[in-house]
Amino acid sequence: MSAWNMIDRAAEIMRVESRGIEEVAERLDERFVDAVERILATPGRIVVSGIGKSGLVARKIASTLASTGTPALFLHPAEGAHGDVGVLVRGDLLLAVSKSGESAELAELMPAVKRLEIPVVVLTGEPDSTLGRYADVVLDAAVDVEACPHDLAPTASTTAALALGDALAIVLLERRGFGAEDFARLHPGGHLGRRLLWRVSDAMVSAAEEMAVLGPDATLAHGMKQIAHRRGTVAVVDGARRVIGVLTAGDLTRFADAQPDFLQRPIAEAMNASPHLIEAEALAIEAVQRMEAHGVMALPVVNGNAELVGIVHLHDLLRQGVA
């Protein structure tokens, strides 16, 4: 098989799987709504189970549910039949994933599940199957053909089941009003968590020896030293420590071009008297967006009374992975 033939074949396989998803999407009906409502009404956990390739899909569905506001866990059905079914308690819901609907390991769990009066949602390619008959709700994930040339290896069917599980999780997320900050709280160690949970107060410098702070009457010579030794941005404050301006290297250069004796002039003459500020409790990503929008490298951080409490630098936010 030539390189081009392999590429053509790969593209056709992907189209087969895409068509499988479209087939399942076209058959969605009130049973999907019923499944969503039952899950929303579940006071316990959603226990997702499956074996083989369907088990791998079930694990992913459980993980996606758990990270989007629906408490969920995966139960291996073979282990369930040997004691792990004990994780199921009244108030839970079982979501069983099976292409054929005839998985013996899942079927063995059903008597125990029914004794506990646990609702069952089955995601299957064969609604009229053993598991389908046990189910309170059946989600039809049937596909016409697998991408496998022998129509044997689960390919299009597992892709379609995965997409249906994603659809279920995201509709539940939207019904719960689960937002980006909720998502970030479940991912505190990752890049998303830093982007959505970090506050400006987490990244700003606030120690006196780290901040460049001067009054409006200080000379530009003093301001130039502060810019050189304390990271390029001077916060100009009044007697009550309220921010009334900012002096940067750019401001200094522009003023020096017009005023040869600039070093002895007061900062008030060269500073930007309409500085961009941010509050300490604002999200750190908001500081990044504001700096990018206005072409600045740092922002004075203020409290509710416009008093200076710190300076946040773009470099620090980039280094900490917020941007």
Side-chain angles (χ1 to χ4, degrees):
M1 183 181 289
S2 70
W4 283 112
N5 285 340
M6 285 188 280
I7 291 171
D8 288 344
R9 179 62 181 134
E12 175 55 26
I13 290 166
M14 295 175 75
R15 284 190 285 269
V16 169
E17 300 213 357
S18 176
R19 287 194 294 271
I21 294 175
E22 290 177 0
E23 291 166 13
V24 173
E26 289 170 0
R27 289 197 305 272
L28 287 173
D29 54 24
E30 289 301 313
R31 291 174 294 181
F32 182 87
V33 177
D34 191 1
V36 169
E37 298 298 340
R38 285 175 182 270
I39 292 173
L40 285 171
T42 298
R45 297 88 38 87
I46 309 307
V47 179
V48 192
S49 190
I51 194 102
K53 304 296 187 298
S54 293
L56 297 175
V57 171
R59 285 181 186 274
K60 197 277 182 181
I61 292 173
S63 177
T64 302
L65 287 170
S67 69
T68 53
T70 298
L73 58 86
F74 173 77
L75 170 65
H76 193 291
E79 299 296 335
H82 292 276
D84 282 6
V85 73
V87 303
L88 283 161
V89 297
R90 280 187 173 86
D92 289 344
L93 179 146
L94 178 68
L95 173 58
V97 183
S98 172
K99 177 189 175 182
S100 67
E102 300 296 339
S103 301
E105 295 86 352
L106 281 170
E108 287 179 8
L109 298 181
M110 291 304 158
V113 170
K114 289 300 181 181
R115 278 197 300 273
L116 290 170
E117 299 178 347
I118 290 173
V120 177
V121 175
V122 171
L123 194 160
T124 181
E126 297 290 344
D128 188 19
S129 60
T130 299
L131 290 178
R133 289 189 289 274
Y134 270 112
D136 297 285
V137 183
V138 176
L139 297 177
D140 185 355
V143 298
D144 285 343
V145 63
E146 299 285 6
C148 166
H150 309 299
D151 198 28
L152 294 174
T155 45
S157 60
T158 48
T159 302
L162 194 62
L164 185 51
D166 284 344
L168 194 61
I170 300 306
V171 169
L172 285 162
L173 172 153
E174 293 172 349
R175 282 292 310 277
R176 293 184 191 279
F178 189 86
E181 287 198 34
D182 299 306
F183 190 90
R185 275 192 283 273
L186 299 179
H187 301 74
H191 176 65
L192 181 64
R194 287 191 294 275
R195 281 178 59 88
L196 294 177
L197 290 184
W198 272 47
R199 304 286 172 177
V200 170
S201 57
D202 296 320
M204 70 184 189
V205 296
S206 57
E209 63 272 15
E210 295 179 313
M211 292 194 295
V213 184
L214 292 172
D217 297 327
T219 66
L220 286 172
H222 198 180
M224 186 166 63
K225 290 178 183 178
Q226 292 282 299
I227 288 171
H229 297 295
R230 295 192 178 175
R231 306 181 66 181
T233 298
V234 178
V236 185
V237 300
D238 64 14
R241 207 171 171 77
R242 291 187 294 265
V243 179
I244 59 172
V246 165
L247 181 72
T248 66
D251 297 320
L252 190 61
T253 300
R254 285 186 291 272
F255 189 78
D257 286 342
Q259 303 289 339
D261 62 339
F262 72 96
L263 287 176
Q264 300 309 311
R265 306 295 287 270
I267 283 178
E269 294 184 15
M271 72 182 187
N272 174 2
S274 300
H276 301 290
L277 310 175
I278 195 161
E279 292 197 350
E281 289 307 303
L283 290 172
I285 189 62
E286 183 183 340
V288 174
Q289 293 165 346
R290 197 170 299 183
M291 284 187 246
E292 291 176 341
H294 298 293
V296 298
M297 299 299 292
L299 293 172
V301 183
V302 296
N303 61 21
N305 297 319
E307 297 165 340
L308 182 72
V309 295
I311 297 177
V312 63
H313 295 270
L314 181 61
H315 175 77
D316 290 338
L317 294 169
L318 291 170
R319 180 169 52 82
Q320 292 163 354
V322 174

